[in-house]
Amino acid sequence: SGNCVMTTTSRASVGLEKNLRKGGGLIMKEDNVEFFPDDKQLKKAYKKSKRLSTIRTIIIVILVVIPLYIINVMISYKMGIKHYEELQKGIEIKNPNAYISNVNGFIGFMGGTCEYTVSKVIGRKNINLYNKNSSYGLGLKFNRFTIGSGKGGHRQGEWPDRIDSSGNLTMMVFHPDIEYKEYKDDIALLNKVSTDSLLEMTLSFDKKYKINEISDILPTTQISELLIDGYTKEKMEVYKKEALEYDGKVTYIRESDFIGFKSPERVNYYEVNQALDNYKKFLDNLQFDFKVSDYKNEFSSIYSTLKAKDQLEGDNVDIIGVVVYGDRKSTRLNSSHPG
């Protein structure tokens, strides 16, 4: 009987000793473990976890973020170059003597924006026309390039004074194939400006001329732009209808609708070969792959019209007017020529 008691006690002691060895001094319960780490262990685990997280972040930045950033900058930069080229060509078509004089670009995600200034050369003088913002790239729309918004009104019996965003009066031209009720003569306006002012004005011809004939009718005139007949049949019908039905002082071709190319740059001398080269460049610009759908359609239509009229060769193109510049005396003499 006593042996049984001793044996039982001995087994209980051995079981408790085994449990203590297994738990390493921790409180162990059957199917239930309670673990209480000390502060030193917690701090050590936290520092290790933080160090691993930092290393992981650095690896991600090196392997993913930096390469993606470099790729984005390279792609956006190339897109910006193409966008700038498109802006410049569009401006050259809409206003042959205008150019981008200053530009600031900002790269974004797969695209960017730019702020630019458009200036114009009149004689030897550069004049700022307007400032504009433009965007390009992923999910962004390309802006139209304009020669500046105009304003002004029309009162019955008076020619309208349309002013562009830089405060200059805009010009007009009369097509020789349209019979207008009235033609504007700016001789009276010349008397109101100072003798040292630099002026720019249009001369509308009474008939169409070829490039090689311009020097005969305007031998010493400073010409900045040659205006051509690139209007579609439908557009001409609209102009003719307006000339027939509307007040004579509101029927003309506005400066924003001019179709023309840059004249030779030599002073007091009209170089025919350079004019032909400029016309070829104008045709090349019309065929540029524009992203702006409105201008792409407009420029494509002008090219198709010139092709249909067999005017893709410079010798065949019809000149309907010119833009000239100079002081009050020279422009007064120019206005006495045909147109």
Side-chain angles (χ1 to χ4, degrees), residues 54-202:
T54 302
I55 294 173
R56 184 165 51 248
T57 301
I58 293 174
I59 292 174
I60 292 174
V61 169
I62 294 175
L63 297 181
V64 180
V65 177
I66 292 179
L68 286 178
Y69 173 78
I70 294 174
I71 291 172
N72 176 69
V73 170
M74 292 174 62
I75 294 176
S76 297
Y77 177 76
K78 290 182 179 180
M79 293 172 67
I81 294 297
K82 291 182 178 179
H83 182 58
Y84 175 83
E85 183 182 10
E86 179 170 351
L87 288 174
Q88 185 63 64
K89 288 186 178 296
I91 291 170
E92 287 177 2
I93 294 173
K94 297 296 292 182
N95 196 336
N97 288 287
Y99 65 98
I100 298 177
S101 57
N102 184 54
V103 61
N104 293 310
F106 305 92
I107 292 178
F109 176 69
M110 298 300 285
T113 61
C114 63
E115 301 173 354
Y116 60 95
T117 301
V118 174
S119 301
K120 183 176 184 178
V121 179
I122 301 180
R124 301 297 183 184
K125 186 176 182 181
N126 296 324
I127 299 175
N128 290 339
L129 295 181
Y130 57 89
N131 298 315
K132 195 171 182 64
N133 296 327
S134 183
S135 59
Y136 59 91
L138 186 64
L140 297 175
K141 294 183 178 180
F142 287 77
N143 291 336
R144 292 170 60 99
F145 357 89
T146 65
I147 60 172
S149 57
K151 60 182 180 179
H154 171 248
R155 288 179 291 184
Q156 187 70 24
E158 295 183 9
W159 290 97
D161 290 331
R162 296 190 61 84
I163 301 174
D164 64 19
S165 58
S166 59
N168 297 313
L169 289 172
T170 60
M171 297 178 287
M172 62 181 69
V173 71
F174 299 93
H175 198 290
D177 288 345
I178 300 176
E179 186 175 347
Y180 297 93
K181 296 175 183 177
E182 295 185 56
Y183 295 84
K184 189 177 183 183
D185 187 346
D186 282 332
I187 292 295
L189 181 62
L190 296 179
N191 295 326
K192 298 179 181 180
V193 300
S194 61
T195 56
D196 59 346
S197 295
L198 184 62
L199 305 174
E200 186 178 46
M201 62 185 295
T202 54

Side-chain angles (χ1 to χ4, degrees), residues 171-269:
M171 297 178 287
M172 62 181 69
V173 71
F174 299 93
H175 198 290
D177 288 345
I178 300 176
E179 186 175 347
Y180 297 93
K181 296 175 183 177
E182 295 185 56
Y183 295 84
K184 189 177 183 183
D185 187 346
D186 282 332
I187 292 295
L189 181 62
L190 296 179
N191 295 326
K192 298 179 181 180
V193 300
S194 61
T195 56
D196 59 346
S197 295
L198 184 62
L199 305 174
E200 186 178 46
M201 62 185 295
T202 54
L203 298 180
S204 301
F205 296 154
D206 55 359
K207 68 175 185 178
K208 299 173 183 177
Y209 290 91
K210 301 301 181 183
I211 286 180
N212 60 358
E213 296 177 317
I214 301 301
S215 59
D216 294 331
I217 61 175
L218 298 170
T220 60
T221 302
Q222 308 294 337
I223 302 174
S224 60
E225 184 177 349
L226 300 170
L227 306 178
I228 64 176
D229 183 17
Y231 302 99
T232 64
K233 181 179 178 181
E234 294 74 18
K235 189 67 173 177
M236 287 297 294
E237 291 300 321
V238 171
Y239 284 147
K240 289 178 180 179
K241 187 174 185 296
E242 291 176 348
L244 181 64
E245 299 178 357
Y246 294 172
D247 181 357
K249 288 185 170 59
V250 297
T251 55
Y252 50 84
I253 299 177
R254 293 167 175 79
E255 183 175 353
S256 57
D257 294 323
F258 283 5
I259 301 176
F261 61 97
K262 192 173 184 179
S263 174
E265 298 176 350
R266 297 190 181 184
V267 179
N268 293 326
Y269 181 67

Side-chain angles (χ1 to χ4, degrees), residues 4-62:
C4 289
V5 172
M6 289 179 64
T7 301
T8 302
T9 305
S10 176
R11 287 177 178 173
S13 300
V14 171
L16 178 59
E17 183 180 352
K18 288 182 178 180
N19 284 337
L20 289 172
R21 285 201 297 269
K22 287 182 180 180
L26 301 177
I27 299 175
M28 304 292 292
K29 291 184 179 180
E30 185 179 355
D31 298 328
N32 185 20
V33 181
E34 293 182 2
F35 177 48
F36 298 100
D38 57 26
D39 291 342
K40 185 176 181 181
Q41 289 175 313
L42 283 173
K43 290 180 180 179
K44 184 177 181 181
Y46 173 75
K47 290 181 179 179
K48 182 178 180 181
S49 175
K50 185 176 181 181
R51 183 167 61 253
L52 290 175
S53 177
T54 302
I55 294 173
R56 184 165 51 248
T57 301
I58 293 174
I59 292 174
I60 292 174
V61 169
I62 294 175

